[in-house]
Amino acid sequence: MTAATEPAHRQLGMTDDEYQLVLDVLGRSPQPAELAMYSVMWSEHCSYKSSRAHLGRLPSEAPWVVVGPGENAGVVDLGDGWLAALRIESHNHPSFVEPYQGAATGVGGILRDIFTMGARPIAVWDPLRFGELDDARNRYLLKGVVAGIAGYGNAVGVPTLGGEIEFADRYASNPLVNVMALGILEREQLVLSAASGVGNVAILLGAATGRDGIGGASILASASFDEESGAKRPSVQIGDPFEEKKLIEACLELYDRGLVVGIQDLGAAGISCATSECAAAGGMGMDVDLDAVPVREADMTAGEILMSESQERMLAIVEPSAVDEVMAVAAKWEVAANPIGTVTDGGRLRVHQGGELVADVPAASLSDDAPEYRRPSSRPDYLDELWAAGLDVAPPADAGSILLQLLDDPALGDRSWIYQQYDHQLFLNTVVEPGHDGSLLRIKGTTKGLAVSTDGHGRRCYLDPRRATARLVMEGALNVAVAGTRPYAVVDNLNFGNPEKPEVMWQFIETVAGMAQACELLQIPVIGGNVSFYNETDGVDIYPTPVVGMLGFADPMPTEPPRLDRATAGMEIWLIGPRGEIDYAASAYARIVEDRLDGRPAAIDPIVGPEVIVTATRLAHRLPVMHDVSAGGLAVALAEIALASGVGFIVAGLGWDELWDESPHRFVALCAPEALPPLNVPATRLGVMGGDTLYFGEHGSVGLAVALETWRNALPRRL
Amino acid sequence: MVFPGTNCERDVAHALRLLGHDTELVFHRHTDLSRYEAVILPGGFAHGDYLRTGAIARFSPVMTAVAEMAAAGKPVVGICNGFQVLCEAGLLPGALVANRDLAFICRPIHVRVENTTSVLTAGAELGQVLQIPLNSYEGNYVADTATLDALESGGRILLRYCDDSGGVTAAANPNGSARNIAAVANAAGNVAGLMPHPERAVESILGSTDGIPLLASIAAFAPLIGSPS
Amino acid sequence: MKLRIDIRRKDGLADPEGVTTHRALQELGYTAVTAAHFGRTIYLEMEGDDHAAALAEVEVMCHQLLANPVIEDFEIEVVS
Amino acid sequence: MKLRIDIRRKDGLADPEGVTTHRALQELGYTAVTAAHFGRTIYLEMEGDDHAAALAEVEVMCHQLLANPVIEDFEIEVVS
Ligand SMILES: Nc1ncnc2c1ncn2[C@@H]1O[C@H](COP(=O)(O)OP(=O)(O)O)[C@@H](O)[C@H]1O
Ligand SMILES: [Mg+2]
């Protein structure tokens, strides 16, 4: 059946059952604009209909949580009236259609989630995944996405403090572009979205509305890619960082003057979403006049205006008496402001255009009555085989040449090609910049510090989503711990394939279980997240790819936090954490040297894991160099320190497999001779820093200069 | 000076406050700067850098007053985007175009002090090598040969990109700027523009304090900087 | 042989640069201007004098590198 | 009335976009291309139909705002 002959609801990506549900809610058949609204609001992207039932398992409570999941961003208490807001989002499909604009508008969207809460956005992170770089298309996508993040983030004036990057064929037709943003605010600035107060005015702020991404959320992010996608492709959204910058300043001034009752950003589902959610959150209704919406193109239908995902727009709810002052503030910042609605009681969302009532629906029904699915799940058959296989002992070789092989990998090599294209210093908060484990920010005028890390590992999650996700939480926690902070809150971005496949649904459920387990162990609340399903192209699903955004908090923060580049000759090298376990499953060694992906990843240790993290946080306030052991194992962790500091090392007494093993809960710590304080976790003295050779005892060595050359060029030489 | 799209204004104010100076943020619609001893145009993306970087900001109401201060010999300094605005406004020669490699550059670079009589360098030493963060896409200084020669002979080139030991080499030129130029001044020396961000180098916890001599020079030029005259 | 490639953003897509420039012209009092749009031009110098062949080759270059067909339209002409 | 303004970097001044594009074309094997230069195009829609007057006014706009005479040359034409 061709699109033309399909019934309207199917063309909008709505199933027959869902259409029936609309009929039940309305007690009549919907008008076109109403159908448009339901189709977007009930899309996977907006309604979480396949995931909601499971996300409830994630722990979201802690005494320091001010706003948990549900609002635009999670908010935690930093003491003395300071709050931090954190949120992560995906912009995968738009970035595949148009990498620069897709990534740029992804940054714009996540920033609005932050300043919608009343916070000034102070930093962005960008976890990225692409196909292998030997394919020109993937190089084009990587360059475009990085340029888009730089182009938008730098111009809007929010520094990008890190991210991560992975390459795998599974992402070739479905790259992952996740963006996370952090904001800080003082308690009295906190704003929520609820529209209370009958007669209050809804003012649309920002850019004019065009046919941007019509159906973007419902179609792009809620359906798989295939040949038809060309036809489905919504018109690409063009980011305007200048408009966003003005919007940020205007909104923050509105908050400072206490002029808004509630506010909501316009993202997926645009005006439909903002008006219905504001109204529903306040248990109210709203009358909306589409003729008052400034449009960029003539003759847009009501449905198009309601569904448009034009960027850089906000909806502010203000008391009638405040309207004039709001308009004045908007004018000062050269931001367009148009009253488009009034808050009503009775809970109905009534939309008018050209004098006609084009929509009249229960506001809450768009969000609350959305269908919820418990999709069937089943453990993939491929697992037994993969677990049975797997490398447990690597054939001994020359450690020097193996290390060079690893350092030449684009995901292990120097990533400064990426983060030097991002302003990562603006606001003068960046104490530890990208290039270390967690980036560390100070909050000026206080002794408080925030460390942030983003971590994902698609391959490991493919082998065992539950174990691997628990390990991601542990790795993120360790990354912020070695920056001297205590793991404080998590946001997660769950990137998965087609949820209508039981195997994918199983991966998803296992992932949530693993995240819940680790967060409970560490007593860290999950304060927000995002689910991106249908990352599938021509039937091939991506690896299950949860990305964990970890926020660490310290007060006081270390005055001289550990850095990879503070190593000097003579310092002792210690491995802190358990020894003996060897884990090659989804390790960099297995991938790069053996070209295999199999085995069962080690599980986290519920006792040792948390202890190692506590130890790391404590040590980071007194040691010059600390680095967690992750991709590439101990050898790469040591090499990263040597390369950053320009000093070689000599280590001895390690088994060959211990050089590459990636088992969890371990970090390297450097200190002056005899200076390591007593610890209640295992610690092994490995050797000393010095010379210009990376020397692994009997296993071999490599010169610092050649290692540096290889590591520096790993990414650029492939572009 | 705050234009729509400016984003380094708070950072500059923070840095000057650390150096003991009063500062006020002045919005671009103001027309009276008479109470100020010096004005700094901070970095950012005024008007989104649309059309041309600095092109639209130059017409902001406040720019007339800025030109008057410049003519009156008072300190006028443009940092990064502020430098671009001053060039567009004709208060400084030349222009800034896209970096040689067409990529945004955010990293610490080295510059060598070439002149010690300007508003920006009076407090620095000749030949001094400073490590200061660069943060720009359009930092590539261009001007015709006659202009460049005039700048040379007039001692109006204030800073040049160099390596960590002060060598002014092609390899040490991060963005392709003509003759490694990182900062220039007008003939009187009271109007200066520079590409790197001195305000990002005033605290050791952020990696460098080499920006201090430059920011301090502005104060030296204007003892009462920021405080009502 | 010299060719000129005119590249314009597809109609209907936002053109922030055009909007901002239009506003600036308004502020400067050029009220007769009702809209401004931005485009890019690429001038190529090529060996040979077979116009048809050159046009065909440049067409390929545009799809491959010079233009972004997802959001841009382009026109190629031989100028000399 | 529609006008079109072609703006080009003055000869002799750095044109990084042109240089980089030329290099990229070389790497892609388009060796017939001997040089590439970049320009910007601004399309204006204006009220009225007095071409001469419009051209004169846009000329002023270019000197004042749309082009940077220090580094750019421009040409204006009425396209409709
Ligand atoms: N896409 C990216 N954008 C910005 N910075 C990145 C990106 N990818 C990696 N980085 C930075 O490179 C450094 C190393 O990354 P990674 O090896 O993933 O850290 P870790 O293994 O400690 O989690 C980190 O500081 C990270 O922020
Ligand atoms: Mg790490």
Side-chain angles (χ1 to χ4, degrees):
Chain A
M1 181 149 52
T2 74
T5 64
E6 287 225 53
H9 66 270
R10 285 203 211 141
Q11 291 182 41
L12 291 168
M14 188 178 251
T15 68
D16 297 355
D17 297 353
E18 291 169 345
Y19 183 67
Q20 184 54 50
L21 205 52
V22 175
L23 295 179
D24 300 346
V25 169
L26 294 180
R28 58 175 165 82
S29 55
Q31 305 183 61
E34 292 170 334
L35 184 59
M37 290 164 81
Y38 281 102
S39 72
V40 190
M41 290 299 292
W42 288 6
S43 68
E44 187 63 60
H45 182 84
C46 295
S47 70
Y48 288 76
K49 57 193 170 193
S50 302
S51 55
R52 235 185 307 147
H54 305 282
L55 294 174
R57 295 177 61 177
L58 296 171
S60 61
E61 273 155 28
W64 55 90
V65 174
V66 179
V67 177
E71 280 284 343
N72 291 286
V75 178
V76 291
D77 191 339
L78 306 178
D80 307 311
W82 286 96
L83 308 179
L86 191 67
R87 177 72 200 270
I88 192 165
E89 257 278 2
S90 64
H91 232 221
N92 303 339
H93 283 135
S95 303
F96 183 55
V97 173
E98 211 304 289
Y100 184 102
Q101 297 298 342
T105 51
V107 173
I110 196 67
L111 293 179
R112 286 191 292 282
D113 282 328
I114 296 300
F115 69 84
T116 299
M117 306 299 298
R120 175 174 288 277
I122 60 166
V124 166
W125 286 261
D126 70 335
L128 306 176
R129 276 147 188 93
F130 299 95
E132 305 283 357
L133 289 178
D134 45 22
D135 180 333
R137 170 78 184 167
N138 299 333
R139 295 195 293 271
Y140 164 79
L141 288 170
L142 169 62
K143 289 182 191 169
V145 164
V146 169
I149 289 161
Y152 199 103
N154 299 346
V156 76
V158 180
T160 301
L161 293 195
E164 18 139 41
I165 189 147
E166 269 192 302
F167 301 96
D169 287 333
R170 285 294 186 102
Y171 302 114
S173 310
N174 210 311
L176 299 186
V177 175
N178 295 174
V179 281
M180 180 172 79
L182 170 71
I184 54 173
L185 65 159
E186 288 172 80
R187 192 175 268 283
E188 51 279 6
Q189 291 167 323
L190 183 65
V191 216
L192 300 179
S193 60
S196 58
V198 174
N200 282 349
V201 182
I203 298 182
L204 181 62
L205 296 164
T209 298
R211 290 193 172 89
D212 302 308
I214 294 295
S218 61
I219 294 171
L220 263 194
S222 306
S224 307
F225 256 37
D226 52 33
E227 319 75 47
E228 289 171 60
S229 302
K232 287 184 192 167
R233 178 177 295 166
S235 57
V236 174
Q237 307 163 41
I238 306 294
D240 183 354
F242 177 50
E243 186 68 39
E244 178 107 335
K245 169 67 174 174
K246 294 185 296 179
L247 209 43
I248 293 175
E249 299 303 332
C251 288
L252 292 180
E253 185 167 340
L254 291 179
Y255 307 149
D256 285 346
R257 299 182 181 213
L259 292 174
V260 297
V261 177
I263 191 162
Q264 177 63 270
D265 64 304
L266 278 70
I271 294 176
S272 313
C273 185
T275 52
S276 61
E277 284 186 356
C278 280
M284 313 297 280
M286 195 179 293
D287 282 352
V288 179
D289 174 13
L290 294 185
D291 300 335
V293 176
V295 290
R296 214 174 57 228
E297 295 172 81
D299 58 72
M300 287 179 69
T301 66
E304 287 176 326
I305 297 175
L306 286 164
M307 287 168 81
S308 164
E309 295 179 4
S310 289
Q311 299 289 305
E312 292 96 22
R313 299 179 300 162
M314 302 281 286
L315 188 75
I317 309 298
V318 313
E319 289 173 2
S321 59
V323 170
D324 291 348
E325 197 178 344
V326 170
M327 302 299 272
V329 170
K332 168 186 171 186
W333 290 105
E334 296 169 27
V335 168
N338 295 277
I340 64 161
T342 8
V343 177
T344 61
D345 51 15
R348 292 199 76 86
L349 179 62
R350 283 191 297 264
V351 183
H352 303 264
Q353 186 187 41
E356 308 267 306
L357 181 62
V358 294
D360 181 355
V361 306
S365 70
L366 287 163
S367 39
D368 304 358
D369 296 354
E372 176 166 323
Y373 297 130
R374 288 190 163 275
R375 299 191 183 276
S377 88
S378 72
R379 181 173 178 279
D381 309 331
Y382 65 75
L383 281 180
D384 295 332
E385 205 176 312
L386 287 176
W387 287 2
L391 181 72
D392 20 65
V393 183
D398 168 39
S401 48
I402 299 272
L403 179 61
L404 287 182
Q405 233 181 310
L406 296 188
L407 294 180
D408 183 47
D409 182 76
L412 290 184
D414 182 8
R415 265 138 302 181
S416 59
W417 179 87
I418 299 173
Y419 57 77
Q420 285 183 353
Q421 293 187 52
Y422 303 153
D423 181 346
H424 52 264
Q425 302 165 324
L426 185 66
F427 301 146
L428 307 181
N429 297 330
T430 312
V431 174
V432 176
E433 70 281 10
H436 302 262
D437 286 328
S439 308
L440 180 63
L441 297 87
R442 64 175 178 177
I443 300 179
K444 289 196 287 303
T446 76
T447 53
K448 306 177 193 297
L450 296 168
V452 178
S453 166
T454 65
D455 296 278
H457 202 309
R459 288 185 176 84
R460 189 174 286 135
C461 291
Y462 174 74
L463 293 180
D464 190 329
R466 180 187 296 247
R467 285 185 171 188
T469 305
R471 281 176 56 171
L472 287 178
V473 174
M474 287 288 174
E475 181 183 349
L478 193 49
N479 278 328
V480 299
V482 295
T485 67
R486 169 165 80 88
Y488 206 57
V490 160
V491 293
D492 64 290
N493 203 340
L494 305 178
N495 306 275
F496 285 79
N498 182 347
E500 293 157 34
K501 293 184 187 167
E503 291 73 19
V504 171
M505 211 51 219
W506 180 86
Q507 293 170 332
F508 180 81
I509 293 167
E510 285 286 294
T511 294
V512 171
M515 189 170 310
Q517 176 205 7
C519 289
E520 273 154 12
L521 269 176
L522 296 173
Q523 293 167 354
I524 325 173
V526 177
I527 59 171
N530 168 256
V531 178
S532 172
F533 275 129
Y534 296 98
N535 292 289
E536 172 203 45
T537 301
D538 298 331
V540 182
D541 297 289
I542 58 162
Y543 291 131
T545 312
V547 171
V548 173
M550 179 70 63
L551 177 70
F553 172 55
D555 190 1
M557 67 184 275
T559 46
E560 271 193 291
R563 296 178 54 95
L564 297 185
D565 55 10
R566 287 178 61 202
T568 54
M571 286 182 177
E572 280 182 0
I573 305 170
W574 290 79
L575 173 66
I576 315 291
R579 265 184 85 180
E581 279 276 337
I582 297 297
D583 182 12
Y584 277 116
S587 65
Y589 181 96
R591 172 173 62 91
I592 298 163
V593 182
E594 300 282 326
D595 186 26
R596 59 195 292 170
L597 175 59
D598 51 17
R600 188 174 188 196
I604 59 167
D605 182 324
I607 313 296
V608 177
E611 279 176 352
V612 167
I613 289 161
V614 171
T615 307
T617 304
R618 188 162 55 85
L619 283 181
H621 285 254
R622 40 204 294 191
L623 299 189
V625 180
M626 289 168 54
H627 188 20
D628 82 314
V629 178
S630 57
L634 193 49
V636 167
L638 292 169
E640 286 172 339
I641 293 169
L643 295 170
S645 302
V647 195
F649 57 74
I650 303 177
V651 296
L654 286 164
W656 168 255
D657 291 305
E658 286 185 287
L659 295 181
W660 323 108
D661 147 57
E662 292 185 18
S663 54
H665 315 313
R666 299 169 312 142
F667 64 94
V668 173
L670 269 54
C671 61
E674 319 286 304
L676 190 75
L679 308 174
N680 49 11
V681 294
T684 317
R685 187 179 179 288
L686 300 179
V688 294
M689 297 299 297
D692 53 11
T693 306
L694 318 186
Y695 186 66
F696 297 96
E698 80 243 51
H699 304 303
S701 69
V702 60
L704 184 61
V706 53
L708 188 61
E709 184 72 8
T710 308
W711 178 76
R712 278 221 178 112
N713 295 327
L715 187 53
R717 83 174 178 83
R718 290 177 164 85
L719 303 172
Chain B
M1 200 61 42
V2 183
F3 303 95
T6 301
N7 61 33
C8 296
E9 71 275 18
R10 285 182 201 74
D11 295 2
V12 173
H14 172 82
L16 287 170
R17 238 177 281 118
L18 286 180
L19 300 182
H21 307 299
D22 306 339
T23 60
E24 283 177 19
L25 299 182
V26 178
F27 202 57
H28 73 125
R29 298 222 172 258
H30 285 251
T31 51
D32 177 7
L33 297 177
S34 55
R35 49 190 300 257
Y36 301 108
E37 287 298 326
V39 54
I40 297 181
L41 288 72
F45 288 72
H47 297 273
D49 270 359
Y50 294 149
L51 181 57
R52 276 185 324 280
T53 166
I56 298 176
R58 146 197 181 194
F59 291 103
S60 286
V62 77
M63 288 306 290
T64 316
V66 170
E68 285 161 5
M69 284 184 75
K74 292 188 173 179
V76 175
V77 173
I79 302 171
C80 197
N81 193 229
F83 184 8
Q84 296 158 339
V85 174
L86 292 176
C87 289
E88 278 284 337
L91 294 172
L92 288 173
L96 292 134
V97 301
N99 293 339
R100 180 188 51 223
D101 301 331
L102 297 187
F104 192 95
I105 299 174
C106 179
R107 64 179 163 89
I109 46 84
H110 293 91
V111 290
R112 190 178 72 191
V113 176
E114 305 286 285
N115 150 309
T116 54
T117 59
S118 80
V119 59
L120 191 62
T121 50
E125 290 159 32
L126 202 60
Q128 188 177 2
V129 175
L130 307 171
Q131 194 204 53
I132 300 178
L134 187 64
N135 186 71
S136 50
Y137 183 87
E138 274 143 330
N140 184 348
Y141 185 79
V142 298
D144 57 43
T145 314
T147 308
L148 292 171
D149 292 342
L151 287 172
E152 298 267 9
S153 55
R156 292 164 55 187
I157 297 171
L158 308 181
L159 303 170
R160 283 187 219 260
Y161 299 109
C162 65
D163 56 33
D164 53 6
S165 54
V168 174
T169 64
N173 185 338
N175 50 25
S177 292
R179 306 187 191 184
N180 284 46
I181 292 174
V184 299
N186 65 344
N190 67 304
V191 180
L194 77 164
M195 254 304 133
H197 287 260
E199 81 276 12
R200 295 184 178 194
V202 295
E203 293 173 275
S204 48
I205 189 172
L206 299 184
S208 167
T209 56
D210 289 0
I212 293 176
L214 301 181
L215 291 176
S217 298
I218 306 173
F221 229 79
L224 304 171
I225 179 170
S227 60
S229 51
Chain C
M1 172 173 36
K2 278 199 163 72
L3 294 92
R4 179 168 99 182
I5 309 161
D6 275 310
I7 303 171
R8 276 190 74 166
R9 183 160 297 166
K10 287 189 190 312
D11 293 338
L13 296 186
D15 179 6
E17 193 159 25
V19 171
T20 306
T21 302
H22 180 224
R23 191 186 302 119
L25 287 168
Q26 297 292 323
E27 293 222 357
L28 289 174
Y30 297 106
T31 48
V33 179
T34 54
H37 296 285
F38 272 69
R40 312 184 284 129
T41 318
I42 302 175
Y43 302 87
L44 295 182
E45 288 168 29
M46 293 181 72
E47 286 159 355
D49 41 26
D50 178 341
H51 289 190
L55 286 170
E57 188 174 19
V58 173
E59 169 107 26
V60 181
M61 296 181 200
C62 286
H63 280 288
Q64 194 179 354
L65 174 77
L66 301 179
N68 179 348
V70 177
I71 57 173
E72 294 174 325
D73 298 324
F74 59 87
E75 278 173 30
I76 310 166
E77 84 187 275
V78 178
V79 287
S80 74
Chain D
M1 173 171 38
K2 277 202 165 76
L3 293 93
R4 161 195 172 114
I5 308 160
D6 276 305
I7 302 171
R8 280 189 68 167
R9 181 83 33 92
K10 279 185 161 51
D11 296 338
L13 291 180
D15 175 14
E17 287 97 341
V19 172
T20 309
T21 304
H22 183 222
R23 195 186 316 119
L25 288 170
Q26 296 293 323
E27 284 168 7
L28 289 172
Y30 297 107
T31 48
V33 179
T34 55
H37 297 285
F38 265 60
R40 293 180 300 121
T41 322
I42 303 175
Y43 302 85
L44 295 183
E45 289 168 27
M46 291 180 73
E47 286 159 354
D49 42 24
D50 178 342
H51 289 191
L55 286 170
E57 187 174 19
V58 173
E59 169 106 26
V60 182
M61 294 182 205
C62 287
H63 281 291
Q64 192 182 358
L65 172 72
L66 300 179
N68 178 353
V70 176
I71 54 169
E72 296 172 326
D73 299 323
F74 60 86
E75 279 172 30
I76 311 165
E77 80 188 277
V78 177
V79 287
S80 73

